[in-house]
């Protein structure tokens, strides 16, 4: 498994407000996650490995306890998965609840030489499980989707090998959910468009912004 440089904030993110798509709650969020990961797996962007979620207590906030649940022997669509999630509640906080679950796994990116590489958390998928409303967010933290790497050097072949799959996946997710995503707020590391990433302007030397100072 390769290791790409991962930005501390999103390179790009996409949000779907799904109040009218289905009822809120853990069960519907996990079923939604199953359907969305089917799309992402088809594009080799996310093969689920585990769920991760933080426990909170009303009036207190976070407990500081994060649970990681292995998906090796189950799937997001398993009807018993919601009870497994609830059954992992810390015994010291019997009233604790979760508001979001993150679906973590591996994806495939293609380097300049055309070789496929596996990367943990190539894309991240987060699902709201709270009764306030169903929503989903997809995010990326690597530079393989854009025209420039994090140091500002052009790598158009890397972009051409990877960005079209991300665009195709976003379009397929929009079809699945019946609406386009809302691009997330820009960060120091990049900005999203509805179907991909915005490209920064090059300087007089043909270089993009160098953001590597934030990695130290």
């Amino acid at each position: 498994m390769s290791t790409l440089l991962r930005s501390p904030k999103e390179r790009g993110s996409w949000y779907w407000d799904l109040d009218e798509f289905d009822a809120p709650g853990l069960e519907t969020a996990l079923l939604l996650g199953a359907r969305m990961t089917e799309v992402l797996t088809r594009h080799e962007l996310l093969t689920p490995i585990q769920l991760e979620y933080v426990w909170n207590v009303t009036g207190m906030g976070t407990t500081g306890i994060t649970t990681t649940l292995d998906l090796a022997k189950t799937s997001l669509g398993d009807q018993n998965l919601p009870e497994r999630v609830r059954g992992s509640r810390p015994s010291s906080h019997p009233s604790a609840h979760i508001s979001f679950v993150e679906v973590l796994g591996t994806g495939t990116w293609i380097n300049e030489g055309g070789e496929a590489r596996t990367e943990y958390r190539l894309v991240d998928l987060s699902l709201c499980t709270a009764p306030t409303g169903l929503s989903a967010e997809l995010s990326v933290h690597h530079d393989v989707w854009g025209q420039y790497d994090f140091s500002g050097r052009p790598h158009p072949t890397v972009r051409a090998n990877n960005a079209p799959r991300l665009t195709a996946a976003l379009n397929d997710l929009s079809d699945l959910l019946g609406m386009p995503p809302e691009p997330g707020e820009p960060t120091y590391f990049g900005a999203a468009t509805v179907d991909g990433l915005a490209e920064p302007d090059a300087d007089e030397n043909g270089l993009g912004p160098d953001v590597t100072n934030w990695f130290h």
Side-chain angles (χ1 to χ4, degrees), residues 95-149:
S95 63
H97 63 274
I98 59 174
S99 298
F100 294 90
V101 294
E102 286 194 87
V103 183
L104 307 180
T106 59
T108 299
W109 68 282
I110 302 170
N111 67 17
E112 193 165 14
E115 299 169 308
R117 304 292 190 186
T118 300
E119 185 74 19
Y120 180 61
R121 297 186 69 176
L122 185 69
V123 304
D124 290 340
L125 176 63
S126 176
L127 305 155
C128 179
T129 61
T132 50
L134 189 65
S135 65
E137 184 175 33
L138 188 74
S139 62
V140 296
H141 290 73
H142 301 99
D143 61 7
V144 300
W145 317 107
Q147 186 72 13
Y148 307 97
D149 66 17

Side-chain angles (χ1 to χ4, degrees), residues 4-7 10-12 14 40 43-46 107-110 119 121-124 138-150 155-156 158-167 169-170 191 195-200:
L4 291 171
L5 195 62
R6 180 181 173 89
S7 59
E10 296 88 350
R11 175 76 173 83
W14 300 267
L40 294 168
H43 292 284
E44 299 184 283
L45 297 178
L46 176 61
T108 299
W109 68 282
I110 302 170
E119 185 74 19
R121 297 186 69 176
L122 185 69
V123 304
D124 290 340
L138 188 74
S139 62
V140 296
H141 290 73
H142 301 99
D143 61 7
V144 300
W145 317 107
Q147 186 72 13
Y148 307 97
D149 66 17
F150 283 134
H155 60 180
V158 172
R159 182 194 182 281
N161 287 344
N162 296 284
R165 286 187 300 128
L166 178 60
T167 294
L170 288 167
D195 60 358
L197 294 173
E199 295 294 351

Side-chain angles (χ1 to χ4, degrees), residues 16-18 20-22 28-43 76 125 127 134 136 138 167-181:
W16 287 268
D17 185 342
L18 299 169
E20 298 182 5
F21 184 81
D22 209 336
T28 52
L30 292 175
L31 287 174
L32 172 65
R35 296 178 68 184
M36 293 182 73
T37 54
E38 285 178 2
V39 172
L40 294 168
T41 299
R42 188 164 68 246
H43 292 284
L76 287 168
L125 176 63
L127 305 155
L134 189 65
L138 188 74
T167 294
L170 288 167
N171 289 334
D172 286 352
L173 289 172
S174 295
D175 289 342
L176 170 68
L177 301 173
M179 67 183 74

